[in-house]
Amino acid sequence: MSLLIKNGTILSTTGEYVADIYVENDVISLIGKDLNVKADEVVDAAGKYVFPGGVDEHVHYGSFGGLLFDTADAAAVGGTTTIADFAPQDAGVPLIEAIERQAAKAKGTCSVDYAFHGIIMDPKDSVFEEIRKLPEIGVATLKLFMAYKGSPFYCDDEAIFKAMQIARDYGVTMMVHAENGDIINVLQKQLVAAGKTDPVYHYYSRPPLVETEATQRAIALSELAESPLFVVHVSTRGAMEAIRDAYNRGLPVYGETCTHYLTLNLENLAKRGNDGFEGAKYICSPALRPQEHLDAMWEGIQRGWLTAVGSDHCANTGGYEGAKKKGLGNFAKVPNGAPGVQDRLAMLWTQGVETGRLTKQKFVEIFATAPARMLGLPHKGRLDIGCDADIVVYDPAYRGKITNAASYHGTDYNAFEGFPMHGIPEKVYLRGTLMAAAGKFVGAKGKGRRQRCQTYGRCFEYVSR
Ligand code: DUC
Ligand code: ZN
Ligand code: ZN
């Protein structure tokens, strides 16, 4: 099967130019002006942008009560062709086995390519020892949680430090969910006891300093352990500045923010709707922030102080009516997470590129190229000869709106409902095969392939070993 995409404006992290792309056997084999080759499928992309399929290095399928991989068609429709899922570790199950169990769920059901991060949920020495074996199963990233104290997700500083020491020796990138779990527990109890139970109090139980302090601590732990660090879902100015300052001191410390920390704010959490509870749709952790922090996230991206934008996609099984509303009367009981894998491109393009907050080159970087490097997937996230032919043909002239009705997330609401869409992925190819067209999934379901990540990814660049 061969494919020729003609006359599109190809976007990369460094520039843009009009050229043709020729794809053979899943990979890009030629890029050039007026290519004179025959192909099974020829696409005229004149007037369209052509850029790499998105790499979303932050999704939850199954963990945190999220729906499973059969709902990942949404990624393809939204121009994302590779996802990296956080594989949860049930207590008593070895880390490697937990990841393989999660991989078995993705096989044959996930419609885009997929990789895994480990999560340590059973912090003990035998589990830390397993970090050494992660590279053998193609896993090069590991997340530990400083929040959710009292749940299996929580890890104390000792666990994080020990994991960092081993991870650095094997080229495994340490990721942290940086929020102070002790303080959150205290504040949650105090707020609920005072009758402050509405969704908006989720924010007051996790104020910005709770995240900033934990980020500073995680940086200190990584400095002590001499380990690179990737702080995920950064949402506060203070956390972003801590990462920036650490990097400027020469430490291999990087950060990711997420679509919603750029585009949704505390006002969403305060929404009451018809049932007084609508804000629960926006309960995720860290919590949505006042606007000044969103402005800081844009600045962090623009200046390169934050490296990538993930979706933190987590479509709770049961959605708003069946899952979120279980927390009626107590915000602390609302399951965390919101869907978003389909909307990352539309939000970054419309709220970023179209408003002048992102260049098209920066967009490609944070949407595809940087997350692929972070994961250790050199054949993803860029349109170069020999790379996987994961390609978006983007029609910038389209005008529409994000609606749950047009979403493939499999849930009953969309956190970005009503936001404008300037442009649409007119065609989305996964390894040269058409998966989505103009907002519809048109591919064969479950054709995603497991991706083996290389160790010593982006966070280890310039780290002497
Ligand atoms: N927060 C997390 O820590 N994980 C998944 C969803 C969320 O909101
Ligand atoms: Zn997290
Ligand atoms: Zn997450």
Side-chain angles (χ1 to χ4, degrees):
M1 201 37 206
S2 56
L3 165 69
L4 180 64
I5 300 175
K6 288 191 73 63
N7 299 316
T9 301
I10 298 174
L11 301 183
S12 76
T13 58
T14 53
E16 53 190 90
Y17 54 96
V18 176
D20 304 342
I21 298 184
Y22 181 61
V23 173
E24 256 180 326
N25 303 326
D26 290 8
V27 300
I28 295 170
S29 61
L30 286 173
I31 300 176
K33 282 260 182 214
D34 304 320
L35 291 180
N36 187 13
V37 282
K38 284 204 168 33
D40 300 320
E41 184 186 347
V42 179
V43 175
D44 180 13
K48 311 283 159 64
Y49 290 117
V50 178
F51 52 77
V55 178
D56 190 340
E57 30 65 42
H58 195 147
V59 298
H60 298 268
Y61 284 98
S63 59
F64 281 91
L67 290 165
L68 269 167
F69 293 97
D70 57 346
T71 58
D73 301 0
V77 175
T80 286
T81 45
T82 304
I83 56 174
D85 178 69
F86 288 90
Q89 185 197 14
D90 294 330
V93 177
L95 185 59
I96 304 276
E97 191 181 324
I99 295 167
E100 292 302 336
R101 283 188 190 182
Q102 186 75 349
K105 291 180 190 162
K107 192 172 181 186
T109 66
C110 188
S111 295
V112 292
D113 284 354
Y114 52 93
F116 296 100
H117 311 287
I119 301 182
I120 290 189
M121 294 172 63
D122 189 10
K124 57 185 183 198
D125 286 342
S126 63
V127 172
F128 302 142
E129 286 305 315
E130 285 192 85
I131 297 171
R132 301 173 202 277
K133 298 218 170 82
L134 288 177
E136 290 168 24
I137 61 161
V139 172
T141 41
L142 182 65
K143 183 177 177 189
L144 271 64
F145 287 75
M146 302 168 91
Y148 304 115
K149 190 164 186 183
S151 87
F153 284 100
Y154 176 75
C155 286
D156 62 15
D157 292 354
E158 179 184 340
I160 293 168
F161 183 65
K162 282 182 172 173
M164 283 174 167
Q165 284 183 321
I166 300 179
R168 65 145 195 241
D169 287 343
Y170 290 83
V172 172
T173 299
M174 279 289 298
M175 310 166 111
V176 287
H177 176 127
E179 289 187 292
N180 185 315
D182 285 305
I183 307 293
I184 292 166
N185 280 357
V186 173
L187 292 175
Q188 277 183 343
K189 284 192 193 114
Q190 288 173 347
L191 287 162
V192 172
K196 296 181 172 174
T197 57
D198 285 350
V200 74
Y201 291 106
H202 178 67
Y203 167 79
Y204 293 100
S205 72
R206 317 174 92 97
L209 251 185
V210 155
E211 178 183 338
T212 303
E213 180 279 327
T215 304
Q216 291 163 343
R217 187 158 33 100
I219 292 168
L221 293 174
S222 74
E223 187 173 3
L224 282 164
E226 297 179 23
S227 157
L229 177 67
F230 188 50
V231 184
V232 294
H233 48 50
V234 175
S235 73
T236 70
R237 175 174 282 282
M240 185 270 281
E241 288 178 349
I243 292 161
R244 176 197 68 189
D245 294 348
Y247 184 83
N248 286 345
R249 276 201 295 126
L251 297 176
V253 171
Y254 299 81
E256 168 221 47
T257 190
C258 301
T259 324
H260 41 292
Y261 300 124
L262 291 161
T263 58
L264 302 177
N265 64 26
L266 185 55
E267 287 171 23
N268 293 89
L269 215 41
K271 279 188 180 170
R272 299 194 54 78
N274 294 334
D275 52 14
F277 201 61
E278 194 180 347
K281 291 178 179 173
Y282 305 93
I283 287 190
C284 58
S285 294
L288 297 181
R289 304 296 183 194
Q291 186 60 36
E292 61 190 294
H293 294 280
L294 281 68
D295 298 341
M297 294 305 104
W298 285 111
E299 187 187 0
I301 291 292
Q302 288 161 353
R303 302 198 185 278
W305 301 332
L306 295 171
T307 303
V309 178
S311 68
D312 207 351
H313 172 86
C314 183
N316 306 111
T317 309
Y320 177 61
E321 291 297 331
K324 294 280 193 185
K325 276 196 172 175
K326 284 195 179 142
L328 257 175
N330 184 349
F331 70 85
K333 297 215 161 115
V334 177
N336 278 216
V341 73
Q342 185 172 327
D343 307 313
R344 193 173 60 111
L345 190 170
M347 292 300 286
L348 288 176
W349 188 277
T350 310
Q351 302 300 317
V353 176
E354 289 278 326
T355 62
R357 285 189 280 212
L358 296 177
T359 63
K360 295 192 271 313
Q361 287 62 46
K362 184 57 104 172
F363 160 78
V364 173
E365 185 182 319
I366 58 173
F367 176 68
T369 312
R373 283 174 70 201
M374 191 59 65
L375 288 167
L377 295 174
H379 55 295
K380 296 289 190 189
R382 59 196 175 100
L383 300 183
D384 283 316
I385 290 168
C387 288
D388 280 4
D390 301 338
I391 302 173
V392 175
V393 177
Y394 193 71
D395 176 5
Y398 173 88
R399 292 292 176 269
K401 277 190 186 341
I402 293 177
T403 64
N404 193 50
S407 301
Y408 282 77
H409 293 137
T411 190
D412 59 357
Y413 78 98
N414 188 311
F416 303 102
E417 184 82 31
F419 270 92
M421 286 172 73
H422 287 191
I424 196 165
E426 189 177 272
K427 291 185 192 296
V428 180
Y429 293 91
L430 174 68
R431 288 177 273 99
T433 300
L434 186 68
M435 301 304 284
K440 302 265 182 276
F441 184 76
V442 298
K445 265 185 93 71
K447 290 290 180 196
R449 277 189 202 151
R450 182 169 174 182
Q451 302 295 305
R452 310 272 163 178
C453 298
Q454 295 179 4
T455 51
Y456 297 98
R458 170 77 199 279
C459 295
F460 283 85
E461 285 172 5
Y462 312 116
V463 174
S464 52
R465 352 176 187 151

